[in-house]
Amino acid sequence: MSAVDEKKVNAAGQPDPNWEPNIVGFACNWCTYAGADLAGLSRMQYPPNVKLIRVPCSGRANPQFVLRAFQKGADGVLVAGCHPGDCHYATGNYFTRRRFLLFQRLLEFSGIDPRRFQARWISGAEAPKFRDVVTQMAEEVKALGPNRKLREEL
Amino acid sequence: MKAFPKDKLTAVLDTLAKQATLWVPAIVAGVSRFAPYGPGREVQLGANTVMSPKEALFPATEKIYEYSAYGIDGEFTPVDPSVGPQILFGLRSCDMQGILCLDDVFLTRGYVDDYYAKKREEATLVTLGCVTPGPDCFCYAMGVNPAEHAASDAQLFDLGDAYGIVARTAKGEALVSALETAGLLSESDKAPLPTGDFVLKVDAEGITEKLQHMFDHPLWDAFSRKCLNCGACAYICPTCHCFDISDKKRNAHCGIKIKCWDTCMYSEYALMAGGHNPRPSKKERVRQRFMHKLRYFPERYGKLQCTGCGRCIAKCPVNLEITDVIQQVREAKIDG
Amino acid sequence: MSDNMRNNVRDNMGHMNNQLTQEMRDLARELLASGEVKGLFGWTKGSRWYLTPPVFITKPEEADRLCYDEFAVNNLTGLLLDFRDSQDKIAVFVKGCDSRGIVRLVQDNQLKRENIVVIGVPCPGMGDKGAVTDHRQAQELPLLAKCLECRYPNPVLADRTIGAVTVTTEPSAAPSGATAEAAKGRGVGSKEADRFAQVEAIEKMSPDERYAFWQAQNKKCIRCYACRNICPACNCRECIFDSDKKNWVNKAATPTDNAFFGITRAMHVAGRCVECGECERVCPMDIPIMAMNRKLIGDLNELFGPYDAGVKADEKPPLGAFKLDDPEEFM
């Protein structure tokens, strides 16, 4: 894939200054989703690029979710859950940590920029952190441009 | 016969590629298969391909229509099955025979598959006589002549330092005259090289009749024990033609329908909507594969559904060889 | 090597194979005749000199069909999955690499250890049939790459053994038993250090080159699932790739759908792959599947400490466990 494909282009193949990244976020019900809720309640401003999907635990988000998101058009994927030690199910996020440390490397090995797939620990009280993470990731992915890799053909 | 020297092959292919999409046997990313000819294509005429050429007429995955449905309003946009004129160059007799099997299924008995029919109609088939049979070849036992195939549009013969070419149909004549116009053909009086000896020896005489009495034979148990139920044999086979219609949803309302290869080796293949599976284990699936090729198909269409190309023998992970199945079936005792 | 010496080596190998085959048949006959096992997976001589495929026998008189030589490459342990719901006791012959598949299946609760009789065999290293030039006449063949990179030439567990092979869970142990000399002479394990070479080569590419490399491989994939079906670690009763009704996966064999399969398969065996290399061997499209598996093995070793799957049944696979002080990159 050429470098041009990786840049923001519109249907006519011209660079599109209005392009906005599409980021799918898998948020743990007990921490991150509550944190996102709090950010909203507190009227914090953050970019609307992240579409959150609530999962019972960050450990529920398995690698197929991530791949499927990329197939269906995501430019970036975020998995976020409770801080290690805070898991509602005691240990779920410890498994998440191992799995996604590995998965991020495998995606990189497959040619996907690791910045397109990130994981973060965001507690229910960390509304500012949620805002910052989302803002930062939106900026990073925006800089990377649209993702065409793994995108469904047909 | 008319002929062109082997060192003019590139010129011949270049000429033909101007007329149509030209499929040639080639090495693509390390695997030999038929692929559209173009710059940098690594053409390989010396041995048959790992993948059969059926994918030119019956692609592994093919979009057949788009749909959208909002409430009671549905919309349906069919996909044009035409891919424009195609030339399949350098088919072996076994693969030509394989296409005849596909023709039987997709074009006869009142059932016409438009997607296959259109591509078949647009295709010109150029076969190449075999000189050196591969280690897994046994076409002679399946009633196929490795030296030439009567159903091809044009036949190539290996004359040593040149390829002889004979047109058999109007499409073939058009192709030959295109080469003549390009000044590539000359007259040769050399005889085609003879076909060499086969490594595999097998005799399939009476196999269909024998199998009619063997549905419940314990042999199927034995064969299936080592089978992995993978689909390698079916997907590289020139005659296996099963497909599934599946969809890819864009969202809750719209999506596309696709036609894609499927195989009786898979557990889901015979699974019914209610959950019943008439072929619940490996045994039934393995039996189906060989029964279909050697009994059901000949019963319905009057020809074996195996052309002896040997691909499944070469690639089976556990060496479940159809030649061995034929041998053991012929030797098997039938009770009563 | 002179032709004479080469012939000698081959004669010695032939002699050894005959002896091992004899031991194999005797043991199989004994196990089946005594009723200790209901059936037995072994190898038999195939249609050509370089083929020694799997066979399943149930009667003592069938023991003479068994055969063992440097082409008995199939890992038979995956075939045991057909018996996972059965109470029948089944015997299986295992080489070093295969034996780790038994640990895999037992650890994954797919088989009861007491229902399998594991028979360890010494391994001379397996010949690469891709190098055959004469299909009628036996010839000397180079070893399969996976045998050159072998780290477990001896079975890691066995209830019985033939050919005086040593059972050991020690990695990189020298080949033992009747074929020890042949194995060493042929170079079994001699390129152990190279097993991550392909991974490193791919890592050196740019991201776009890596993607293009895998796209070319995924374009070839025909989704025959031979890699999955032969794998002792791919033992799910219901695989997500067996049904497209749930719309998770699709039968469409497009490069990205194939990538979805390839990456998912690799992640599902991550930390559980026993490195028998069978997935790559059986791939009809020659996709370098082990590069994917090895990438994960290397990273797991680096992240969570060295671990060899399928060696010790009481050690949990790395993705089935955690430590409080695991590396923290996400924050």
Side-chain angles (χ1 to χ4, degrees):
Chain A
M1 188 161 287
S2 70
V4 179
D5 282 337
E6 275 297 278
K7 287 294 159 216
K8 308 146 203 152
V9 286
N10 61 17
Q14 299 301 314
D16 179 359
N18 298 321
W19 176 78
E20 284 293 329
N22 193 2
I23 297 168
V24 176
F26 294 98
C28 138
N29 174 57
W30 306 98
C31 289
T32 308
Y33 202 81
D37 224 7
L38 183 60
L41 283 171
S42 315
R43 314 240 163 173
M44 289 179 181
Q45 293 295 316
Y46 59 85
N49 304 79
V50 176
K51 277 91 177 170
L52 281 194
I53 295 174
R54 182 156 60 157
V55 285
C57 174
S58 59
R60 176 65 186 90
N62 69 28
Q64 289 101 281
F65 289 10
V66 180
L67 292 171
R68 197 71 173 142
F70 283 129
Q71 277 198 312
K72 289 289 182 189
D75 300 301
V77 178
L78 172 72
V79 173
C82 311
H83 285 265
D86 293 350
C87 180
H88 182 78
Y89 308 100
T91 58
N93 51 5
Y94 287 112
F95 292 100
T96 308
R97 183 163 68 182
R98 282 204 164 192
R99 189 189 301 153
F100 286 119
L101 276 175
L102 189 66
F103 188 59
Q104 196 176 39
R105 285 164 169 75
L106 184 63
L107 283 181
E108 195 176 356
F109 189 64
S110 308
I112 316 295
D113 194 302
R115 284 170 292 183
R116 292 195 187 273
F117 169 67
Q118 306 194 17
R120 287 288 180 275
W121 312 131
I122 302 171
S123 82
E126 290 180 318
K129 183 174 180 186
F130 177 80
R131 176 197 57 201
D132 295 346
V133 163
V134 167
T135 311
Q136 192 201 348
M137 190 161 173
E139 277 168 12
E140 267 184 36
V141 174
K142 197 165 180 178
L144 287 170
N147 178 50
R148 306 260 177 245
K149 292 173 179 172
L150 296 180
R151 181 74 54 90
E152 227 170 16
E153 299 109 336
L154 292 174
Chain B
M1 73 182 83
K2 295 195 178 73
F4 59 89
K6 283 187 177 172
D7 55 16
K8 286 264 173 66
L9 179 64
T10 309
V12 166
L13 296 178
D14 286 338
T15 307
L16 295 179
K18 282 182 201 129
Q19 325 258 316
T21 306
L22 176 65
W23 292 75
V24 289
I27 311 279
V28 185
V31 169
S32 63
R33 68 193 316 159
F34 279 77
Y37 179 74
R41 185 60 84 203
E42 218 180 308
V43 183
Q44 179 218 254
L45 280 178
N48 207 355
T49 50
V50 167
M51 283 298 279
S52 86
K54 73 177 172 189
E55 47 185 350
L57 305 175
F58 172 39
T61 303
E62 187 174 17
K63 188 166 144 183
I64 53 177
Y65 63 82
E66 289 178 27
Y67 66 87
S68 67
Y70 292 89
I72 202 164
D73 301 317
E75 218 174 279
F76 161 89
T77 321
V79 170
D80 182 5
S82 169
V83 290
Q86 302 196 93
I87 299 171
L88 272 65
F89 186 90
L91 296 173
R92 304 304 176 113
S93 292
C94 50
D95 291 341
M96 184 61 232
Q97 180 73 11
I99 291 173
L100 294 189
C101 291
L102 298 182
D103 285 352
D104 281 339
V105 175
F106 291 133
L107 303 178
T108 69
R109 305 292 179 110
Y111 300 101
V112 175
D113 180 311
D114 292 340
Y115 296 88
Y116 178 84
K118 189 72 193 162
K119 293 181 190 67
R120 178 72 168 92
E121 187 190 306
E122 291 172 334
T124 305
L125 309 177
V126 184
T127 52
L128 167 65
C130 274
V131 174
T132 319
D136 307 299
C137 291
F138 58 100
C139 61
Y140 66 92
M142 299 288 119
V144 176
N145 176 5
E148 57 182 312
H149 201 296
S152 55
D153 293 310
Q155 175 75 47
L156 292 166
F157 295 98
D158 192 334
L159 308 179
D161 54 359
Y163 287 113
I165 185 163
V166 174
R168 297 202 201 280
T169 65
K171 278 195 239 174
E173 268 159 27
L175 184 140
V176 172
S177 71
L179 293 179
E180 235 168 357
T181 315
L184 290 163
L185 299 186
S186 55
E187 206 57 43
S188 169
D189 53 5
K190 281 199 182 136
L193 297 178
T195 306
D197 281 344
F198 285 81
V199 181
L200 274 183
K201 304 282 179 228
V202 65
D203 183 358
E205 184 70 36
I207 189 80
T208 303
E209 294 71 26
K210 183 77 181 273
L211 280 171
Q212 284 164 344
H213 310 284
M214 287 184 64
F215 192 77
D216 290 319
H217 201 278
L219 255 189
W220 304 116
D221 271 314
F223 290 139
S224 67
R225 280 295 176 205
K226 69 173 179 178
C227 178
L228 300 174
N229 263 187
C230 74
C233 50
Y235 285 178
I236 58 179
C237 176
T239 71
C240 270
H241 49 261
C242 288
F243 62 87
D244 191 15
I245 305 282
S246 168
D247 56 354
K248 273 187 159 237
K249 287 185 183 132
R250 298 261 186 264
N251 57 39
H253 305 288
C254 61
I256 58 167
K257 280 280 179 193
I258 53 171
K259 176 181 163 189
C260 46
W261 290 355
D262 200 356
T263 162
C264 54
M265 287 285 113
Y266 293 165
S267 59
E268 196 203 7
Y269 179 85
L271 185 67
M272 296 176 185
H276 174 64
N277 195 335
R279 294 187 206 131
S281 75
K282 277 185 192 174
K283 176 188 159 184
E284 292 82 12
R285 293 174 213 145
V286 168
R287 176 173 64 199
Q288 171 62 24
R289 172 167 174 81
F290 293 110
M291 279 284 196
H292 193 190
K293 294 208 169 293
L294 303 171
R295 181 187 150 186
Y296 307 143
F297 197 93
E299 282 173 353
R300 186 169 166 84
Y301 298 112
K303 61 165 88 69
L304 289 163
Q305 198 212 325
C306 172
T307 70
C309 74
R311 288 186 175 89
C312 56
I313 295 183
K315 289 296 176 187
C316 178
V318 296
N319 304 114
L320 179 50
E321 301 173 353
I322 191 166
T323 44
D324 184 45
V325 171
I326 291 169
Q327 187 72 19
Q328 291 202 42
V329 162
R330 293 190 75 214
E331 287 167 7
K333 284 202 186 76
I334 305 172
D335 296 332
Chain C
M1 234 193 294
S2 72
D3 278 356
N4 230 342
M5 277 171 72
R6 204 167 272 144
N7 283 338
N8 275 340
V9 170
R10 197 184 306 153
D11 288 348
N12 281 340
M13 287 269 286
H15 180 65
M16 215 155 49
N17 293 339
N18 288 342
Q19 259 188 354
L20 283 172
T21 297
Q22 200 50 52
E23 274 191 65
M24 204 171 241
R25 291 175 180 174
D26 291 344
L27 181 55
R29 204 175 292 115
E30 176 204 319
L31 288 169
L32 288 165
S34 68
E36 190 180 337
V37 300
K38 281 270 164 50
L40 176 144
F41 280 107
W43 301 276
T44 188
K45 202 58 213 162
S47 59
R48 261 72 57 80
W49 63 268
Y50 49 86
L51 300 175
T52 311
V55 67
F56 181 73
I57 60 170
T58 53
K59 300 186 197 81
E61 59 270 25
E62 290 173 321
D64 286 340
R65 294 178 60 194
L66 295 174
C67 174
Y68 186 64
D69 58 19
E70 66 274 25
F71 304 107
V73 60
N74 283 68
N75 180 346
L76 307 171
T77 57
L79 293 169
L80 290 168
L81 283 168
D82 285 351
F83 292 91
R84 64 176 143 197
D85 295 323
S86 151
Q87 290 308 311
D88 291 345
K89 205 166 181 173
I90 305 293
V92 62
F93 286 100
V94 294
K95 307 182 292 292
C97 51
D98 309 340
S99 68
R100 295 169 69 187
I102 300 280
V103 177
R104 171 83 286 118
L105 292 166
V106 171
Q107 213 173 20
D108 293 349
N109 292 319
Q110 296 302 315
L111 290 176
K112 288 202 187 78
R113 180 68 184 85
E114 61 272 23
N115 284 349
I116 329 157
V117 176
V118 182
I119 311 165
V121 297
C123 178
M126 295 292 135
D128 182 1
K129 73 167 183 165
V132 171
T133 50
D134 188 340
H135 295 268
R136 292 174 173 86
Q137 201 100 56
Q139 63 185 120
E140 199 85 358
L141 291 181
L143 283 191
L144 284 170
K146 68 175 184 177
C147 299
L148 293 171
E149 294 166 359
C150 177
R151 290 171 65 244
Y152 287 90
N154 306 305
V156 298
L157 85 169
D159 301 307
R160 313 282 287 261
T161 57
I162 62 167
V165 72
T166 313
V167 176
T168 172
T169 55
E170 200 59 48
S172 313
S176 68
T179 61
E181 286 314 308
K184 281 174 209 155
R186 285 152 56 87
V188 170
S190 62
K191 291 197 176 156
E192 188 195 313
D194 291 352
R195 70 188 180 119
F196 293 109
Q198 193 179 12
V199 174
E200 284 155 15
I202 297 170
E203 281 173 341
K204 284 204 185 90
M205 300 177 188
S206 74
D208 286 348
E209 283 168 354
R210 279 198 296 271
Y211 187 71
F213 171 82
W214 286 112
Q215 276 291 92
Q217 301 304 323
N218 288 323
K219 207 170 172 181
K220 292 193 292 185
C221 175
I222 53 173
R223 297 275 281 281
C224 70
Y225 302 130
C227 52
R228 175 194 71 181
N229 291 10
I230 201 152
C231 176
C234 269
N235 53 38
C236 291
R237 277 170 193 269
E238 198 186 342
C239 173
I240 68 161
F241 295 101
D242 275 343
S243 172
D244 68 352
K245 300 288 176 284
K246 296 166 191 97
N247 235 289
W248 256 112
V249 288
N250 209 275
K251 282 201 174 109
T254 63
T256 54
D257 280 302
N258 296 344
F260 184 93
F261 166 66
I263 297 174
T264 303
R265 189 210 58 80
M267 269 311 278
H268 279 194
V269 301
R272 300 167 54 252
C273 166
V274 298
E275 293 189 79
C276 65
E278 284 287 85
C279 48
E280 188 169 305
R281 179 186 69 85
V282 303
C283 179
M285 297 292 119
D286 291 330
I287 296 170
I289 303 173
M290 279 306 285
M292 210 71 154
N293 294 341
R294 287 257 162 76
K295 164 70 182 165
L296 291 167
I297 290 167
D299 284 351
L300 284 167
N301 288 345
E302 213 177 284
L303 285 166
F304 314 119
Y307 176 78
D308 280 336
V311 175
K312 294 181 181 127
D314 51 357
E315 261 180 8
K316 271 199 171 169
L319 290 190
F322 65 87
K323 283 195 197 120
L324 297 179
D325 60 349
D326 276 335
E328 178 62 271
E329 290 174 3
F330 298 145
M331 316 273 219

